[in-house]
Amino acid sequence: MTKIRCLLALLVCFVLGGCGDSEFEFSGHHAFFVFDNSLHLDPTLSSAMNAMSPGIFCRISIKSAGRVNFDNNQGQSSQVTLSALEQQSHKMLGVYNESGLIVGFATLSQPVTFCAFDAQCPNCYEETMMPRYMLTMDTTGKVSCKNCGRTYDMNNNGIISSGGNGKKLIRYRATTNGPFGLIRIDN
């Protein structure tokens, strides 16, 4: 009986010890976006959906009804008009559906991993609960916040690379089957 208690105590310590201060890989915030790029053939989005081009990231946002904007960290921009059927599908593009999402293949993972991040500074958002801290992308796969001065590395799981301590980028579950295929973000 004592051996069983010792094993149970050890198991409980192991399970609880793994929870500590570590952050979960994916956010508890809701995000939902499904887009079939085989229908639209958008080159800006496809550049970030290509596993052979890691480090290229694309911001996905909706600025007007029925249109999706794509801007990548290499200076390309485009806009797609959604079909009536696509407009009816539910979309949740980041915190409060305002900030947008940033997608792309990270360079520091083997095999390369398709990632989706919120385009909002997680630390400024958490302090104010207001979605007004849009991140600015650079060509190296980093994003920065003008408000707090933090820089995050999307190629390295969205960790802070400069500007002080805090939380890493808000990350969502994402998949793609290639540049001119389907992208799905579902959290």
Side-chain angles (χ1 to χ4, degrees):
M1 188 68 154
T2 330
K3 286 184 180 181
I4 293 174
R5 284 186 184 166
C6 286
L7 285 174
L8 285 174
L10 184 61
L11 182 62
V12 168
C13 288
F14 178 73
V15 170
L16 293 178
C19 295
D21 291 331
S22 65
E23 294 181 71
F24 293 105
E25 184 175 0
F26 299 107
S27 172
H29 293 284
H30 295 291
F32 185 79
F33 181 72
V34 177
F35 187 82
D36 188 351
N37 204 27
S38 70
L39 300 174
H40 300 284
L41 304 176
D42 185 81
T44 307
L45 178 61
S46 71
S47 67
M49 293 170 62
N50 188 348
M52 301 304 287
S53 300
I56 296 178
F57 292 91
C58 179
R59 182 187 318 269
I60 302 168
S61 58
I62 297 177
K63 300 293 184 201
S64 61
R67 295 183 189 268
V68 179
N69 294 337
F70 302 109
D71 301 287
N72 73 15
N73 63 336
Q74 304 302 307
Q76 289 180 301
S77 293
S78 56
Q79 188 176 79
V80 169
T81 301
L82 301 174
S83 70
L85 184 61
E86 290 173 315
Q87 289 182 41
Q88 291 175 1
S89 77
H90 174 73
K91 292 166 193 53
M92 185 69 176
L93 298 178
V95 176
Y96 288 110
N97 204 22
E98 290 184 23
S99 53
L101 303 167
I102 301 174
V103 299
F105 281 93
T107 60
L108 297 179
S109 60
Q110 289 300 323
V112 292
T113 304
F114 189 67
C115 302
F117 300 104
D118 202 289
Q120 187 78 219
C121 177
N123 294 288
C124 291
Y125 168 71
E126 186 173 286
E127 288 175 12
T128 65
M129 299 307 282
M130 298 299 293
R132 58 173 101 154
Y133 305 101
M134 185 70 67
L135 296 168
T136 303
M137 293 187 292
D138 73 15
T139 58
T140 67
K142 293 184 178 176
V143 290
S144 57
C145 176
K146 293 176 185 172
N147 184 59
C148 69
R150 288 182 182 93
T151 300
Y152 303 88
D153 189 349
M154 294 185 292
N155 285 305
N156 195 6
N157 288 323
I159 64 168
I160 296 174
S161 59
S162 67
N165 295 328
K167 293 182 178 260
K168 64 183 184 175
L169 290 177
I170 297 169
R171 185 170 172 195
Y172 303 111
R173 288 175 181 81
T175 58
T176 184
N177 60 357
F180 294 104
L182 191 69
I183 181 173
R184 181 179 180 93
I185 300 162
D186 190 3
N187 227 38

